[in-house]
Amino acid sequence: FGIVTAFLGLGGTLFSPIYRALTIQFKVYLQVSGMTLGGWIEADKRFRAWENLRVREKRRLKALERDEGVWREWEKMVEDEVIGKGNGEEKKAGAK
């Protein structure tokens, strides 16, 4: 935006008698205002991108935790089946 305001200032100086009649202080104010506006727009764009990144990361972590929970349940179920079968066989062997 600084470059854009510089080109606008150059264009105003070359083609506008109104702009040429302005004081140097007001011209500087206009230039700085344009650069500040550009900085705000760029900062907002980057902040929104960062926010989106954080939201995607949070969703990914939540999905990963959910998947880990399902995996733990499945492992527990398999362990219970293995332990249950092992106990059943021992009981049958001991009964003979």
Side-chain angles (χ1 to χ4, degrees):
F1 277 84
I3 294 172
V4 172
T5 56
F7 281 125
L8 288 174
L10 179 64
T13 301
L14 295 176
F15 301 111
S16 174
I18 296 172
Y19 186 81
R20 275 182 265 159
L22 297 174
T23 63
I24 188 69
Q25 292 88 351
F26 193 68
K27 290 179 186 177
V28 169
Y29 169 75
L30 291 174
Q31 295 290 320
V32 171
S33 296
M35 290 186 284
T36 303
L37 176 66
W40 285 348
I41 291 170
E42 184 66 23
D44 185 58
K45 183 177 101 175
R46 289 179 185 226
F47 181 71
R48 288 178 188 266
W50 178 80
E51 273 183 326
N52 289 335
L53 179 68
R54 299 302 312 151
V55 167
R56 281 187 277 138
E57 182 70 18
K58 193 180 239 183
R59 284 183 191 153
R60 188 183 70 78
L61 289 174
K62 191 179 269 187
L64 185 62
E65 288 174 2
R66 184 180 62 239
D67 291 346
E68 286 176 355
V70 170
W71 182 256
R72 285 189 195 113
E73 288 176 18
W74 185 81
E75 284 180 333
K76 187 175 186 298
M77 182 182 68
V78 170
E79 286 175 3
D80 290 345
E81 284 181 13
V82 170
I83 291 171
K85 286 181 182 177
N87 288 340
E89 291 174 3
E90 290 174 3
K91 287 178 184 176
K92 288 179 187 176
K96 289 184 183 177

